[in-house]
Amino acid sequence: EVQLVQSGAEVKKPGESLKISCRGSGYTFITYWIGWVRQMPGKGLEWMGIIYPRDSDTRYSPSFQGQVTISTDKSTSTAYLQWSSLKASDSATYYCARHRSVGGTDGLDVWGQGTAVTVSS
Amino acid sequence: DIQMTQSPPSLSASVGNRVTITCRASQSINSYLNWYQQIPGKAPKLVIFTTSSLQSGVPPRFSGSGSGTDYTLTISSLQLEDFATYFCQQTYITPHTFGQGTKLEIK
């Protein structure tokens, strides 16, 4: 079964760092683009960026460029989303998702279960 | 960035109704338009990809059409499990922007 399994919920303080993960299984991890999507409470979906695990080619939304870092570890089939200094406005649920074809130009067909991040003093 | 505008923001309908949701892009996206369904508390689910291709496992009452800047998602005969929020997304150019969503509610 093709699946993405994300790390668990996090509660952090402003200024702290965080790295959440998304482990793929059931398919050849390096050949499909993986994306990250933010959903703030009660709001819509925001595209953050995508990464191609084979060569780590990464594209960011201008809204998130410089605010987060997307990476992968091919040896463990895991994608990561990290912050160096969290803000309260980073509180949201973060989803990873896989593009359904190797070209990365069609839909996101496999989604992780989401990681809820709460940033509060 | 390409802006995606969905309409209506919300829609009330009854079981058995036919409904259409519209998504307009700020420039041509060459049919690289996808639709997702999201039930509260759950991850989004891909329904339609590249304008009109039905994702595996999705019932055929869902269909998509469009070209250029204008696209539609149609549900031919609403079932209870279809009441959810629907998002469009363009995957023509990064950033792969989403529409703001259409909440489909039971009348």
Side-chain angles (χ1 to χ4, degrees):
Chain A
E1 179 194 4
V2 176
Q3 58 179 349
L4 297 172
V5 178
Q6 297 185 230
S7 49
E10 301 275 0
V11 179
K12 306 292 274 187
K13 290 181 166 43
E16 292 186 331
S17 62
L18 176 64
K19 192 173 188 177
I20 63 175
S21 66
C22 167
R23 187 171 188 279
S25 62
Y27 73 100
T28 305
F29 181 76
I30 62 172
T31 58
Y32 292 82
W33 290 82
I34 292 270
W36 287 95
V37 176
R38 183 174 80 173
Q39 188 166 40
M40 300 180 79
K43 302 298 185 183
L45 305 175
E46 298 175 89
W47 189 88
M48 302 177 72
I50 51 174
I51 187 165
Y52 188 56
R54 182 183 291 278
D55 61 6
S56 296
D57 184 6
T58 309
R59 320 283 173 84
Y60 291 95
S61 164
S63 299
F64 292 94
Q65 178 88 46
Q67 308 304 308
V68 298
T69 301
I70 294 170
S71 61
T72 61
D73 181 342
K74 290 185 282 191
S75 67
T76 60
S77 301
T78 303
Y80 296 98
L81 178 65
Q82 69 180 88
W83 296 259
S84 59
S85 180
L86 286 160
K87 302 185 280 288
S89 57
D90 294 318
S91 297
T93 295
Y94 294 87
Y95 293 101
C96 64
R98 184 195 81 160
H99 272 281
R100 68 174 302 283
S101 74
V102 297
T105 55
D106 56 4
L108 298 161
D109 68 336
V110 180
W111 290 69
Q113 81 275 22
T115 296
V117 174
T118 302
V119 184
S120 174
S121 54
Chain B
D1 299 2
I2 297 176
Q3 308 305 314
M4 305 300 294
T5 303
Q6 273 183 250
S7 60
S10 64
L11 179 57
S12 293
S14 301
V15 172
N17 283 174
R18 176 186 179 93
V19 297
T20 297
I21 299 169
T22 296
C23 188
R24 173 165 287 175
S26 58
Q27 66 183 75
S28 176
I29 54 172
N30 201 26
S31 297
Y32 288 104
L33 190 283
N34 314 297
W35 292 97
Y36 300 87
Q37 176 194 68
Q38 189 179 32
I39 293 166
K42 300 292 189 182
K45 171 188 168 185
L46 180 64
V47 175
I48 297 282
F49 61 94
T50 51
T51 297
S52 58
S53 297
L54 196 65
Q55 173 65 3
S56 175
V58 174
R61 62 179 178 272
F62 289 87
S63 63
S65 65
S67 64
T69 60
D70 295 323
Y71 299 84
T72 59
L73 172 70
T74 298
I75 310 172
S76 60
S77 178
L78 276 171
Q79 302 301 303
L80 270 177
E81 61 267 30
D82 301 336
F83 291 94
T85 300
Y86 292 85
F87 296 92
C88 63
Q89 181 204 26
Q90 65 83 18
T91 44
Y92 180 53
I93 295 174
T94 59
H96 291 165
T97 38
F98 288 93
Q100 75 276 28
T102 295
K103 187 173 184 180
L104 181 52
E105 298 173 304
I106 301 175
K107 185 182 282 186

